[in-house]
Every structure is written in C-alpha cells, then in structure tokens.
C-alpha cells in the first residue's frame, strides 16, 4: 500500500509540474519595412537603410523585418483586402495556426525566413492600392506556442500607416512588368479582317514602337481595311480610355479589346489605378463568367468613362496609333 501511495503522489507531482508549464508572452511584436533593394544593400547594418517609407509604389518590392527574434513566429497584417488584422477573427480551435489564416477570412504574411543576422523577414508586393486619403493600417503579431498543450501567447504591434499608390502607365517599355517576356512578347495584337498583326507574325504586316510620339506604328499589307481594327491589349492593372472606338473587357484573360479606325490615328490614354475614382476598375474587372453582362467567353462591355478620371491627375499617358500601308 505504501509503495502504491508513493507512486500516486509522484504521478500527481509530475502532473502538477507539467500543468505549471506556461508559455511565455513574447517581448515585442514591433517590425520595420524597407524597400527590398535598400534592405539588400544594407543587410549587415540596417541603420544605414531608410526604413518605414510612408508611401510606396504598387510595383515596389518591400521587405518586412521583425525587430525582435525571441518569439516563435511573427506575422504582418498589411491592411489590404484579405490581409486586414481586424478580419482574422482568431478562434480557439485554430490556435495552432501560426500563419493566422482563419477560415480564409484574412491571411497574414508570415515572416518565415531568417536572414544572415538571424532576423525574421519576408519580401512582399502589395496587390492593391490604398483608398484615396485612407492609408492601409498594418499590424504585426508575435506568438509563442506549445504544440503539445495547444497553449499560446500572442501580442501585437501597430497600427502603422502605409500609402500604396500606382503611377504605372507604361504600354510597351522593354523592362515593364506588364510586358511579359522582357519585350519579346508584346502584350498587343492587331486583327484586321482575318489577319493578325504582331511582331512575330508578319503574314498581315508588322508594328513597331514609336518612342518619339509615343505610340505604335502599324504597317499593313495592301488590300487590308484598317478602318475597323481590333486591338487586343493586356495592360495589367492600367485602365484605358479613348475618344475613338469601343472597348470590351475579358474577365477571364484580364485583357481589353479595342475596336477602332486606324486611319484616324486614334489616341489611347492609359491611366494608373490611382488616376481613376475608387471602385471604377472593380465595377467591371471583378466580374466573372455568368455574371450579368458577361458572355460565355468572358467578355463584358467596358464603360470607357473618362469622367471617372481623378480631376487633376498626373498618372496618365497618351499613345498615338498610326497605320502605314506597306510599299
């Protein structure tokens, strides 16, 4: 009996010691962000890098860096749609989810890489511009956890404001990210009747970039009628406008089809997202096949409404399209 009592007491002591093992609260969730190029150039001594830029371009690659390395995980909430801290609704049954992807309501950016100095970091590109006069509000959460018990302690830092703008209005620049293939595969195609014109298919003609105007010069074979030409443009997140011709938008391929008379040297205005009123791009680009106005191939009429340009905007660029008959 005495031996049994000792064994029972020992078991309770061990259980008591185990139950007293608590997860320690992280010391800090503070973080900084840098342009990735600046971070890379000053990785050894980040005091030489410019941190926490208040305004960045949508095309900028940045780097999030935790200012402490003692927690088990760090997650940045960028504040853009799908990545807002307020929308995560962390629940007890997902407490082991260190990336904090809760019911897919919001996803954090886990700082899942350690650099040469032992800092938690992650490169990132924003997917959306911030609303006018309303910067994104960023947070960072730091968490310590015990997988066996499921216990965790988490703290947050923030909010930190960051304004994300889009000023890209390039149509054909060789280094433009819109121009996949580094300029070898132009995101423009002309269809005149049954003939397609591109830089790779010369059966119906050819086109070249006019850097001086700027714009595009199309050379077409004799006999082709360029008064009704269909120009397919894949301009990423730029928004096109023109006083001539009509547009459709393909929600599947994310590209515009512009039907226009090339004998009149039409002008295409490209606007960045920051140059149009909030919600204009989403009003048609966020639709899907089957939605009202979208046909079975994914096409929807594009409004081409210049009144939606922000008054006084500087983030637009004009391109003149010219047609020249081949000799």
């Amino acid at each position: 009996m005495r031996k049994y009592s000792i064994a029972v007491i020992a078991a309770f002591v061990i259980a008591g010691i185990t139950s007293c093992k608590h997860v320690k609260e992280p010391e800090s969730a503070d973080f900084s962000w840098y342009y990735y190029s600046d971070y890379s150039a000053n990785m050894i001594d980040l005091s030489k890098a410019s941190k926490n830029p208040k305004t960045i371009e949508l095309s900028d690659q940045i780097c999030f860096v935790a200012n402490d390395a003692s927690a088990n995980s760090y997650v940045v909430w960028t504040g853009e749609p799908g990545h807002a801290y307020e929308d995560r609704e962390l629940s007890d049954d997902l407490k082991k989810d260190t990336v904090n992807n809760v019911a897919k309501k919001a996803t954090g950016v886990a700082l899942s890489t350690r650099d040469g100095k032992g800092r938690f970091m992650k490169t990132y590109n924003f997917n959306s511009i911030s609303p006018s006069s309303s910067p994104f509000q960023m947070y960072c959460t730091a968490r310590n956890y015990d997988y066996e018990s499921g216990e965790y302690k988490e703290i947050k830092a923030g909010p930190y404001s960051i304004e994300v703008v889009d000023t890209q209005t390039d149509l054909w620049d060789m280094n433009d990210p819109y121009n996949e293939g580094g300029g070898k595969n132009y995101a423009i195609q002309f269809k005149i009747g049954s003939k397609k014109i591109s830089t790779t298919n010369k059966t119906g003609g050819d086109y070249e970039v006019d850097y001086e105007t700027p714009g595009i010069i199309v050379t077409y074979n004799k006999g082709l009628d360029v008064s009704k030409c269909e120009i397919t443009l894949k301009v990423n997140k730029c928004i096109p406008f023109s006083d001539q011709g009509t547009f459709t938008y393909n929600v599947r391929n994310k590209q515009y089809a512009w039907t226009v008379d090339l004998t009149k040297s039409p002008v295409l205005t490209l606007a960045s997202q920051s140059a149009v009123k909030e919600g204009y791009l989403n009003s048609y680009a966020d639709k899907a096949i089957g939605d009202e106005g979208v046909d079975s191939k994914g096409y929807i009429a594009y409004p081409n409404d210049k009144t939606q340009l922000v008054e006084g905007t500087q983030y637009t660029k004009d391109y003149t399209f010219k047609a020249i008959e081949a000799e």
Side-chain angles (χ1 to χ4, degrees):
M1 176 70 70
R2 181 178 177 80
K3 290 183 179 180
Y4 175 76
S5 299
I6 293 173
V8 171
I9 292 171
F12 276 112
V13 169
I14 293 172
I17 293 173
T18 303
S19 64
C20 291
K21 181 183 177 183
H22 294 296
V23 175
K24 183 181 178 181
E25 185 175 277
E27 295 181 6
S28 173
D30 195 35
F31 73 107
S32 300
W33 62 96
Y34 307 83
Y35 293 110
Y36 181 66
S37 57
D38 201 16
Y39 164 83
S40 299
N42 298 282
M43 189 181 301
I44 302 300
D45 184 4
L46 284 181
S47 66
K48 297 178 180 179
S50 298
K51 70 176 181 179
N52 302 353
K54 296 297 183 182
T55 301
I56 66 169
E57 288 269 1
L58 184 64
S59 58
D60 287 331
Q61 185 178 38
I62 62 173
C63 182
F64 294 124
V65 181
N67 292 333
D68 185 78
S70 60
N72 294 142
S73 69
Y74 297 85
V75 177
V76 170
W77 302 82
T78 65
E80 60 184 326
H83 303 286
Y85 176 82
E86 294 84 356
D87 297 335
R88 72 176 192 157
E89 298 181 6
L90 187 62
S91 58
D92 289 340
D93 60 337
L94 290 171
K95 60 181 67 174
K96 293 184 180 181
D97 176 14
T98 59
V99 181
N100 300 329
N101 182 359
V102 181
K104 295 185 178 179
K105 292 181 179 178
T107 305
V109 179
L111 308 190
S112 54
T113 303
R114 279 187 184 254
D115 64 15
K117 301 286 284 186
R119 296 171 296 225
F120 287 89
M121 54 82 68
K122 184 72 173 181
T123 57
Y124 188 74
N125 288 87
F126 278 83
N127 296 305
S128 308
I129 62 171
S130 53
S132 178
S133 302
S134 180
F136 290 134
Q137 301 301 304
M138 299 193 298
Y139 293 85
C140 184
T141 55
R143 180 186 292 187
N144 285 328
Y145 47 85
D146 181 351
Y147 279 126
E148 292 183 3
S149 66
E151 185 182 1
Y152 72 95
K153 290 288 181 66
E154 181 180 273
I155 61 174
K156 71 176 180 179
Y160 300 93
S161 295
I162 187 168
E163 184 180 12
V164 183
V165 299
D166 178 24
T167 64
Q168 291 282 354
T169 55
D170 293 327
L171 177 63
W172 35 251
D173 186 86
M174 298 293 279
N175 298 315
D176 185 10
Y178 305 162
N179 211 359
E180 297 178 5
K184 295 180 181 179
N185 300 309
Y186 283 88
I188 308 170
Q189 187 178 74
F190 297 82
K191 185 178 180 182
I192 304 172
S194 61
K195 298 292 185 179
K196 291 183 179 180
I197 297 177
S198 68
T199 53
T200 56
N201 179 4
K202 298 185 179 181
T203 57
D206 197 6
Y207 78 83
E208 62 181 284
V209 171
D210 180 1
Y211 290 93
E212 188 174 347
T213 303
I216 302 293
I217 299 174
V218 182
T219 303
Y220 64 96
N221 293 347
K222 291 181 179 181
L224 293 180
D225 180 10
V226 296
S227 64
K228 192 176 182 181
C229 177
E230 182 178 285
I231 305 173
T232 302
L233 304 156
K234 192 166 187 178
V235 291
N236 201 6
K237 295 181 179 181
C238 283
I239 301 99
F241 297 91
S242 181
D243 293 330
Q244 297 167 269
T246 58
F247 290 88
T248 56
Y249 180 78
N250 191 295
V251 300
R252 176 186 291 167
N253 301 323
K254 309 298 181 185
Q255 62 188 23
Y256 298 85
W258 181 30
T259 302
V260 67
D261 184 353
L262 282 184
T263 66
K264 297 181 178 180
S265 298
V267 175
L268 179 76
T269 299
L270 277 192
S272 74
Q273 292 182 80
S274 294
V276 298
K277 295 179 182 178
E278 190 175 344
Y280 178 67
L281 179 64
N282 298 339
S283 67
Y284 63 91
D286 283 354
K287 291 183 177 292
I289 294 176
D291 289 347
E292 184 178 357
V294 183
D295 67 21
S296 60
K297 293 183 178 180
Y299 284 98
I300 184 173
Y302 166 67
N304 189 26
D305 184 2
K306 275 193 171 182
T307 65
Q308 296 300 307
L309 286 170
V310 176
E311 187 175 349
T313 182
Q314 57 181 321
Y315 305 140
T316 64
K317 190 172 183 178
D318 290 341
Y319 298 86
T320 300
F321 285 68
K322 301 176 182 178
I324 299 176
E325 188 177 71
E327 296 180 358

